[in-house]
Amino acid sequence: MLNERNYIRFIREKVGHDLIFLNFSGAIIYNQNNEILLQKRGDRNAWGFPGGAMELGESATETAIREVLEETGLKVEVEHLIGAYTKYFDEYPNGDKAQTISFFFQCKPIEGSLKADGNETLELAYFPITHLPPLFVKQHQDAVEDFIAQRKGCIR
């Protein structure tokens, strides 16, 4: 079965850098101090939420849980869907273009401890909602606005 990286590579071998749809899931994880967890991403050297591309046969919720564990070392419980963010475009450092569709979930940590691998995740830190660094893409900015406003099931 193709996994996320193989699937994207498989598609890119056929379409090159052309614009395609890519589906992602991410998590806004909060702690007991009402701070939210951000990941400094290795591919952009910028802050965002843990998450990544869906694998074939995987649900959006399963993707969020798997990606959080891989990128942070935390097992999380998904509480609810914050929103689906569908009309966003990105160009990656290698020239690939995509309309990115992301599902963001509100999650709480239930097990594990933070660990950054130094490659995909350069740094992990909890931030007060009132003192967030700039986030690397508009989808993440919109998702945190919806989280702060306590919205559920947004579609943008």
Side-chain angles (χ1 to χ4, degrees):
M1 182 172 197
L2 292 172
N3 66 29
E4 154 197 340
R5 288 178 179 84
N6 290 338
Y7 177 74
I8 293 172
R9 185 176 10 250
F10 171 77
I11 294 298
R12 287 295 178 194
E13 286 173 359
K14 296 180 179 331
V15 300
H17 297 298
D18 290 349
L19 183 65
I20 62 171
F21 286 108
L22 288 177
N23 298 292
F24 298 93
S25 284
I28 298 182
I29 303 164
Y30 67 93
N31 66 14
Q32 66 278 7
N33 299 322
N34 206 27
E35 299 168 318
I36 56 177
L37 180 65
L38 293 179
Q39 169 198 34
K40 191 169 227 183
R41 302 169 52 94
D43 61 347
R44 305 284 179 108
N45 194 30
W47 291 100
F49 294 108
M54 293 176 67
E55 293 183 1
L56 290 173
E58 189 174 54
S59 73
T61 305
E62 291 167 335
T63 299
I65 292 168
R66 175 184 53 78
E67 287 286 344
V68 167
L69 182 60
E70 290 174 4
E71 295 178 352
T72 71
L74 297 177
K75 288 186 180 180
V76 294
E77 178 182 314
V78 171
E79 295 183 326
H80 65 263
L81 175 70
I82 297 167
Y85 302 84
T86 63
K87 194 173 180 180
Y88 300 78
F89 297 86
D90 202 358
E91 184 169 340
Y92 296 88
N94 68 356
D96 289 353
K97 296 174 186 69
Q99 179 174 348
T100 57
I101 299 167
S102 294
F103 302 91
F104 277 93
F105 297 93
Q106 179 176 307
C107 300
K108 68 177 180 182
I110 56 174
E111 188 179 313
S113 58
L114 293 178
K115 58 182 173 209
D117 66 9
N119 185 29
E120 188 173 13
T121 302
L122 301 178
E123 189 178 343
L124 294 162
Y126 281 98
F127 290 88
I129 292 171
T130 56
H131 292 88
L132 296 176
L135 301 178
F136 83 106
V137 290
K138 179 80 168 117
Q139 274 175 321
H140 289 226
Q141 294 165 12
D142 289 347
V144 79
E145 287 175 17
D146 292 336
F147 172 82
I148 291 168
Q150 299 180 358
R151 296 184 187 110
K152 297 179 181 177
C154 297
I155 299 174
R156 291 188 188 221

